[in-house]
Amino acid sequence: MKTNEQYDVVIVGGGAAGFTAAYQASHRGLSTLVVEKGRNTGGSGEYIEGAFAVDSYLQKEHNVALTKEDVLNEELEYSHYRADTQVWKEYIDASADIIKWLKDLGVEYLDVAPLGSGYRTWHLFKGLGKSVIHDVLEPKAKEQGTDVITSTTVAKVNLDNKGNVTGVELEDLSNHEKKTVATKAVVLATGGYLNNEDMIKNDTHYDAEQIIPVNSEKNTGDGLKLAWDAGAQKYAMGTAMLFGGYLKDHTKPGYVYRYSELNGAADQQSLLWVNENGDRFVNEEVVDNFALAGNALCTQGKVFTIVDQSTIDHLADDQLYKQMGTWDYHDTKLPHLKEEMQKAFDEKAPYLTKADSIHELAEKVGLENLEKTIEHYNELAHSGKDTDFGKKADFLIPVENGPFYAIELGVGAFCTMGGLKTNTEHEVLDKAGKPINGLYAAGNDAAGMLIGDTYGPNMPGTEAGFVFYSGKHVANIIYDQLKG
């Protein structure tokens, strides 16, 4: 561990929030150390597609009519006023400047876009967050003197007898060498706890068996545990950014299916969904809001998309039934769908079952009521009216020309929000609601202040935008407190 004995600020986590904070802190002249437990930096921030903003230069170019007041009110209502009004207000006010600031640093944008049925607030990055981190923020932070160590964990945040941060205890994961580094400011930017099954099981309402993480697999709640051990209150646990349906294959990491066309067909085309009994349970147009779709799927023990060969042929050879609302996808069909399905069969993928009849499919998968459900669903499809759940006729696609397929879905998730209570200066609060002097949080570790029980894709990019906003803002706050 080649580090100095003392730094102005130590940042725990080398992802998007961590390197945003590191760039700004070193830019302001603070001596800065980034501690990353993985062998490589970047983390889940590499997969960020775009960031939220209101009244940005890109939105002005496209005449996007959206006021800050409208966004604030909608986000508060979406969270049932469990979100922090002041945190949201300051974030919204700064959001356009963050987009321009990143551009001035060298970040390139593809467009500003809506997501599904949401507003046009999603500022899409060229090269995803991977480019933002590795081509811009990380190298510029290092040029300014930021030290970065990998394969190292922060084992403890040290406090003096008055509760002030005095340093951190580091441990090299390769040889277990330990070292204490002095600092008066620690920023927790470890990305939440989605990859900690025990925390999902014990601290949330989700079924850990259903949740399929689609991230770096390194977000195990390290920052939250460091804060709790230092006396922080546990706050707003239990919310994940759910992606809706996702191919259920626990034999592979979730990210391998992120841009799978089979995944897109099963999750994004509003096709027939049934539960573990073979019963339909929702208007499948809920996919237009991926968080609500995730919630709906979580109410069932198991979920399957049921399709016939005619549907597969239509999607692969003709056209999509609807746009891939929650994907940045631009083709008009799924040209590799059949190829992907054949590969899945060759690999004996656990999520895909094929049969020559609905009766056989029901028996293979164990869906007791499937035959009755399909018979009724086909009647609805031919009548053009969904009297059960109100799905539009365009998406009432009959299931009648074999062979037939059952595609098992879990619930995809990108990150968790929550675990710590912070104020507008990103200071971590103790159980009495007072700041732990010198302990801060950014990104997902602090994002419990933004949400209620459900992430809001109605304003796409809010979590990513908060990553960059909070990273920059916390560095400025630390500078003011240390040097002001």
Side-chain angles (χ1 to χ4, degrees), residues 94-108:
S95 61
D97 289 339
I98 291 293
I99 297 300
K100 179 64 163 54
W101 177 73
L102 289 171
K103 176 181 182 293
D104 291 343
L105 288 177
V107 172
E108 296 183 58

Side-chain angles (χ1 to χ4, degrees), residues 272 280 370-388 391-393 395-400:
L272 172 63
R280 187 174 176 227
L370 183 63
E371 288 184 88
K372 181 173 65 175
T373 295
I374 295 295
E375 180 180 358
H376 178 60
Y377 187 74
N378 287 344
E379 290 174 356
L380 297 178
H382 289 299
S383 73
K385 188 171 184 179
D386 181 7
T387 56
D388 292 340
K391 185 161 71 170
K392 294 184 183 67
F395 311 121
L396 283 170
I397 312 302
V399 182
E400 54 193 2

Side-chain angles (χ1 to χ4, degrees), residues 115-323:
L115 180 62
S117 57
Y119 292 90
R120 195 170 182 178
T121 62
W122 203 23
H123 295 70
L124 298 172
F125 298 125
K126 183 177 181 180
L128 306 178
K130 184 175 183 179
S131 178
V132 178
I133 297 168
H134 298 303
D135 296 339
V136 179
L137 296 173
E138 182 177 10
K140 288 182 180 293
K142 289 178 176 178
E143 287 171 9
Q144 294 171 162
T146 295
D147 289 339
V148 180
I149 55 174
T150 57
S151 298
T152 303
T153 186
V154 175
K156 184 181 180 182
V157 175
N158 292 331
L159 307 176
D160 64 18
N161 57 12
K162 294 183 178 180
N164 303 309
V165 169
T166 61
V168 293
E169 295 182 10
L170 307 180
E171 181 177 352
D172 188 320
L173 295 177
S174 63
N175 58 22
H176 301 291
E177 174 191 353
K178 296 182 179 180
K179 180 176 183 177
T180 299
V181 170
T183 186
K184 292 183 179 180
V186 173
V187 178
L188 304 173
T190 64
Y193 59 95
L194 183 64
N195 303 111
N196 187 318
E197 286 193 16
D198 287 338
M199 291 178 75
I200 295 293
K201 185 182 301 182
N202 298 325
D203 291 306
T204 80
H205 58 275
Y206 301 120
D207 180 351
E209 278 295 308
Q210 284 183 309
I211 299 299
I212 301 174
V214 188
N215 61 1
S216 68
E217 303 192 330
K218 295 191 291 186
N219 305 130
T220 53
D222 303 356
L224 307 186
K225 289 182 281 188
L226 286 171
W228 295 335
D229 288 345
Q233 62 173 288
K234 185 181 287 188
Y235 179 78
M237 292 287 285
T239 301
M241 183 193 294
L242 302 182
F243 269 171
Y246 209 83
L247 297 180
K248 193 170 184 180
D249 183 358
H250 288 308
T251 69
K252 293 182 178 180
Y255 63 79
V256 303
Y257 294 116
R258 186 169 183 129
Y259 299 107
S260 158
E261 292 184 10
L262 179 55
N263 193 27
D267 172 43
Q268 288 292 302
Q269 292 300 293
S270 293
L271 303 176
L272 172 63
W273 282 349
V274 301
N275 64 15
E276 65 274 21
N277 300 315
D279 295 321
R280 187 174 176 227
F281 58 92
V282 73
N283 177 348
E284 295 88 353
E285 288 179 275
V286 72
V287 302
D288 290 342
N289 182 310
F290 62 71
L292 298 185
N295 286 346
L297 294 170
C298 282
T299 65
Q300 310 300 310
K302 292 183 178 181
V303 175
F304 301 85
T305 300
I306 307 297
V307 298
D308 66 1
Q309 190 61 48
S310 293
T311 297
I312 298 299
D313 292 341
H314 179 87
L315 290 170
D317 304 328
D318 190 3
Q319 64 181 6
L320 299 171
Y321 292 109
K322 65 191 308 180
Q323 289 184 335

